[in-house]
mmCIF file of all heavy atoms in Angstrom:
data_model
loop_
_atom_site.group_PDB
_atom_site.id
_atom_site.type_symbol
_atom_site.label_atom_id
_atom_site.label_comp_id
_atom_site.label_asym_id
_atom_site.label_seq_id
_atom_site.Cartn_x
_atom_site.Cartn_y
_atom_site.Cartn_z
ATOM 1 N N ILE W 48 9.410 4.306 -8.457
ATOM 2 C CA ILE W 48 9.523 5.347 -9.474
ATOM 3 C C ILE W 48 10.922 5.349 -10.081
ATOM 4 O O ILE W 48 11.095 5.447 -11.284
ATOM 5 C CB ILE W 48 9.193 6.729 -8.876
ATOM 6 C CG1 ILE W 48 7.750 6.743 -8.403
ATOM 7 C CG2 ILE W 48 9.450 7.826 -9.880
ATOM 8 C CD1 ILE W 48 7.381 7.997 -7.653
ATOM 9 N N SER W 49 11.926 5.257 -9.218
ATOM 10 C CA SER W 49 13.321 5.191 -9.661
ATOM 11 C C SER W 49 14.093 4.411 -8.603
ATOM 12 O O SER W 49 13.497 3.863 -7.684
ATOM 13 C CB SER W 49 13.893 6.609 -9.826
ATOM 14 O OG SER W 49 14.022 7.230 -8.569
ATOM 15 N N ALA W 50 15.398 4.383 -8.726
ATOM 16 C CA ALA W 50 16.210 3.659 -7.742
ATOM 17 C C ALA W 50 16.111 4.287 -6.353
ATOM 18 O O ALA W 50 16.307 3.613 -5.351
ATOM 19 C CB ALA W 50 17.658 3.621 -8.192
ATOM 20 N N ASN W 51 15.772 5.575 -6.282
ATOM 21 C CA ASN W 51 15.757 6.271 -4.996
ATOM 22 C C ASN W 51 14.376 6.707 -4.514
ATOM 23 O O ASN W 51 14.254 7.198 -3.398
ATOM 24 C CB ASN W 51 16.655 7.512 -5.070
ATOM 25 C CG ASN W 51 18.110 7.137 -5.229
ATOM 26 O OD1 ASN W 51 18.576 6.173 -4.636
ATOM 27 N ND2 ASN W 51 18.822 7.865 -6.054
ATOM 28 N N TYR W 52 13.346 6.572 -5.331
ATOM 29 C CA TYR W 52 12.017 7.054 -4.953
ATOM 30 C C TYR W 52 10.940 6.011 -5.231
ATOM 31 O O TYR W 52 11.019 5.271 -6.206
ATOM 32 C CB TYR W 52 11.648 8.328 -5.734
ATOM 33 C CG TYR W 52 12.449 9.526 -5.335
ATOM 34 C CD1 TYR W 52 13.594 9.866 -6.024
ATOM 35 C CD2 TYR W 52 12.066 10.320 -4.265
ATOM 36 C CE1 TYR W 52 14.352 10.968 -5.664
ATOM 37 C CE2 TYR W 52 12.810 11.420 -3.890
ATOM 38 C CZ TYR W 52 13.947 11.747 -4.596
ATOM 39 O OH TYR W 52 14.694 12.838 -4.229
ATOM 40 N N ARG W 53 9.937 5.990 -4.337
ATOM 41 C CA ARG W 53 8.745 5.178 -4.560
ATOM 42 C C ARG W 53 7.542 5.877 -3.931
ATOM 43 O O ARG W 53 7.699 6.746 -3.072
ATOM 44 C CB ARG W 53 8.905 3.773 -3.985
ATOM 45 C CG ARG W 53 8.972 3.735 -2.470
ATOM 46 C CD ARG W 53 9.189 2.330 -1.990
ATOM 47 N NE ARG W 53 9.177 2.267 -0.536
ATOM 48 C CZ ARG W 53 9.451 1.195 0.159
ATOM 49 N NH1 ARG W 53 9.776 0.078 -0.459
ATOM 50 N NH2 ARG W 53 9.411 1.208 1.466
ATOM 51 N N THR W 54 6.366 5.514 -4.406
ATOM 52 C CA THR W 54 5.134 6.058 -3.829
ATOM 53 C C THR W 54 4.424 4.945 -3.071
ATOM 54 O O THR W 54 4.536 3.770 -3.402
ATOM 55 C CB THR W 54 4.178 6.617 -4.905
ATOM 56 O OG1 THR W 54 3.832 5.578 -5.812
ATOM 57 C CG2 THR W 54 4.802 7.780 -5.637
ATOM 58 N N ARG W 55 3.694 5.341 -2.049
ATOM 59 C CA ARG W 55 2.900 4.409 -1.254
ATOM 60 C C ARG W 55 1.491 4.989 -1.143
ATOM 61 O O ARG W 55 1.325 6.160 -0.809
ATOM 62 C CB ARG W 55 3.506 4.254 0.132
ATOM 63 C CG ARG W 55 2.768 3.280 1.021
ATOM 64 C CD ARG W 55 3.398 3.236 2.405
ATOM 65 N NE ARG W 55 4.769 2.805 2.356
ATOM 66 C CZ ARG W 55 5.182 1.562 2.574
ATOM 67 N NH1 ARG W 55 4.305 0.612 2.813
ATOM 68 N NH2 ARG W 55 6.457 1.267 2.540
ATOM 69 N N GLN W 56 0.505 4.172 -1.464
ATOM 70 C CA GLN W 56 -0.887 4.628 -1.400
ATOM 71 C C GLN W 56 -1.700 3.614 -0.606
ATOM 72 O O GLN W 56 -1.553 2.411 -0.794
ATOM 73 C CB GLN W 56 -1.451 4.744 -2.812
ATOM 74 C CG GLN W 56 -2.923 5.086 -2.856
ATOM 75 C CD GLN W 56 -3.393 5.308 -4.270
ATOM 76 O OE1 GLN W 56 -3.038 6.300 -4.873
ATOM 77 N NE2 GLN W 56 -4.171 4.389 -4.793
ATOM 78 N N THR W 57 -2.552 4.103 0.292
ATOM 79 C CA THR W 57 -3.439 3.257 1.077
ATOM 80 C C THR W 57 -4.857 3.779 0.946
ATOM 81 O O THR W 57 -5.094 4.974 1.114
ATOM 82 C CB THR W 57 -3.038 3.262 2.567
ATOM 83 O OG1 THR W 57 -1.684 2.849 2.689
ATOM 84 C CG2 THR W 57 -3.923 2.345 3.381
ATOM 85 N N ILE W 58 -5.794 2.877 0.645
ATOM 86 C CA ILE W 58 -7.207 3.227 0.580
ATOM 87 C C ILE W 58 -7.939 2.335 1.571
ATOM 88 O O ILE W 58 -7.819 1.114 1.526
ATOM 89 C CB ILE W 58 -7.789 3.026 -0.830
ATOM 90 C CG1 ILE W 58 -7.041 3.884 -1.839
ATOM 91 C CG2 ILE W 58 -9.286 3.331 -0.841
ATOM 92 C CD1 ILE W 58 -7.415 3.618 -3.277
ATOM 93 N N ILE W 59 -8.705 2.969 2.473
ATOM 94 C CA ILE W 59 -9.469 2.238 3.478
ATOM 95 C C ILE W 59 -10.943 2.506 3.229
ATOM 96 O O ILE W 59 -11.366 3.660 3.165
ATOM 97 C CB ILE W 59 -9.095 2.689 4.908
ATOM 98 C CG1 ILE W 59 -7.595 2.534 5.136
ATOM 99 C CG2 ILE W 59 -9.895 1.900 5.933
ATOM 100 C CD1 ILE W 59 -7.104 3.200 6.399
ATOM 101 N N SER W 60 -11.720 1.448 3.057
ATOM 102 C CA SER W 60 -13.163 1.607 2.889
ATOM 103 C C SER W 60 -13.871 0.655 3.832
ATOM 104 O O SER W 60 -13.365 -0.410 4.176
ATOM 105 C CB SER W 60 -13.573 1.343 1.437
ATOM 106 O OG SER W 60 -13.173 0.060 1.037
ATOM 107 N N GLY W 61 -15.055 1.070 4.272
ATOM 108 C CA GLY W 61 -15.823 0.263 5.198
ATOM 109 C C GLY W 61 -17.179 -0.093 4.631
ATOM 110 O O GLY W 61 -17.490 0.183 3.471
ATOM 111 N N ALA W 62 -17.994 -0.724 5.457
ATOM 112 C CA ALA W 62 -19.315 -1.182 5.035
ATOM 113 C C ALA W 62 -20.209 -0.017 4.612
ATOM 114 O O ALA W 62 -21.089 -0.180 3.775
ATOM 115 C CB ALA W 62 -19.973 -1.977 6.152
ATOM 116 N N LEU W 63 -19.998 1.154 5.155
ATOM 117 C CA LEU W 63 -20.825 2.326 4.819
ATOM 118 C C LEU W 63 -20.242 3.120 3.659
ATOM 119 O O LEU W 63 -20.648 4.248 3.404
ATOM 120 C CB LEU W 63 -20.989 3.228 6.043
ATOM 121 C CG LEU W 63 -21.661 2.577 7.254
ATOM 122 C CD1 LEU W 63 -21.666 3.539 8.430
ATOM 123 C CD2 LEU W 63 -23.070 2.133 6.911
ATOM 124 N N GLU W 64 -19.246 2.550 2.965
ATOM 125 C CA GLU W 64 -18.597 3.177 1.809
ATOM 126 C C GLU W 64 -17.836 4.464 2.145
ATOM 127 O O GLU W 64 -17.596 5.272 1.282
ATOM 128 C CB GLU W 64 -19.601 3.437 0.673
ATOM 129 C CG GLU W 64 -20.157 2.180 0.058
ATOM 130 C CD GLU W 64 -19.093 1.261 -0.495
ATOM 131 O OE1 GLU W 64 -18.145 1.732 -1.129
ATOM 132 O OE2 GLU W 64 -19.225 0.046 -0.283
ATOM 133 N N HIS W 65 -17.490 4.660 3.381
ATOM 134 C CA HIS W 65 -16.642 5.788 3.763
ATOM 135 C C HIS W 65 -15.221 5.430 3.374
ATOM 136 O O HIS W 65 -14.725 4.360 3.700
ATOM 137 C CB HIS W 65 -16.737 6.046 5.265
ATOM 138 C CG HIS W 65 -15.860 7.164 5.720
ATOM 139 N ND1 HIS W 65 -14.623 6.946 6.248
ATOM 140 C CD2 HIS W 65 -16.027 8.497 5.693
ATOM 141 C CE1 HIS W 65 -14.066 8.103 6.548
ATOM 142 N NE2 HIS W 65 -14.894 9.055 6.221
ATOM 143 N N LYS W 66 -14.540 6.315 2.672
ATOM 144 C CA LYS W 66 -13.186 6.012 2.217
ATOM 145 C C LYS W 66 -12.177 7.007 2.764
ATOM 146 O O LYS W 66 -12.459 8.190 2.857
ATOM 147 C CB LYS W 66 -13.117 6.013 0.690
ATOM 148 C CG LYS W 66 -13.881 4.882 0.066
ATOM 149 C CD LYS W 66 -13.596 4.783 -1.400
ATOM 150 C CE LYS W 66 -14.308 3.568 -1.972
ATOM 151 N NZ LYS W 66 -14.019 3.384 -3.375
ATOM 152 N N THR W 67 -11.021 6.501 3.085
ATOM 153 C CA THR W 67 -9.889 7.315 3.497
ATOM 154 C C THR W 67 -8.723 6.942 2.588
ATOM 155 O O THR W 67 -8.491 5.775 2.317
ATOM 156 C CB THR W 67 -9.508 7.010 4.962
ATOM 157 O OG1 THR W 67 -10.644 7.254 5.789
ATOM 158 C CG2 THR W 67 -8.358 7.864 5.411
ATOM 159 N N MET W 68 -7.999 7.951 2.118
ATOM 160 C CA MET W 68 -6.871 7.689 1.235
ATOM 161 C C MET W 68 -5.634 8.413 1.753
ATOM 162 O O MET W 68 -5.722 9.558 2.164
ATOM 163 C CB MET W 68 -7.165 8.156 -0.192
ATOM 164 C CG MET W 68 -6.012 7.932 -1.150
ATOM 165 S SD MET W 68 -6.286 8.611 -2.777
ATOM 166 C CE MET W 68 -7.415 7.419 -3.429
ATOM 167 N N GLY W 69 -4.514 7.723 1.727
ATOM 168 C CA GLY W 69 -3.242 8.340 2.080
ATOM 169 C C GLY W 69 -2.241 8.072 0.976
ATOM 170 O O GLY W 69 -2.175 6.962 0.456
ATOM 171 N N GLN W 70 -1.491 9.085 0.586
ATOM 172 C CA GLN W 70 -0.455 8.931 -0.427
ATOM 173 C C GLN W 70 0.842 9.523 0.102
ATOM 174 O O GLN W 70 0.839 10.590 0.705
ATOM 175 C CB GLN W 70 -0.837 9.642 -1.726
ATOM 176 C CG GLN W 70 -2.006 9.010 -2.432
ATOM 177 C CD GLN W 70 -2.314 9.694 -3.741
ATOM 178 O OE1 GLN W 70 -2.200 10.906 -3.853
ATOM 179 N NE2 GLN W 70 -2.705 8.919 -4.728
#
Side-chain angles (χ1 to χ4, degrees):
I48 297 173
S49 69
N51 293 322
Y52 290 94
R53 68 182 183 186
T54 59
R55 181 183 299 263
Q56 175 175 289
T57 303
I58 301 172
I59 304 169
S60 57
L63 300 176
E64 294 303 318
H65 178 263
K66 292 190 176 183
T67 302
M68 179 185 285
Q70 292 183 323

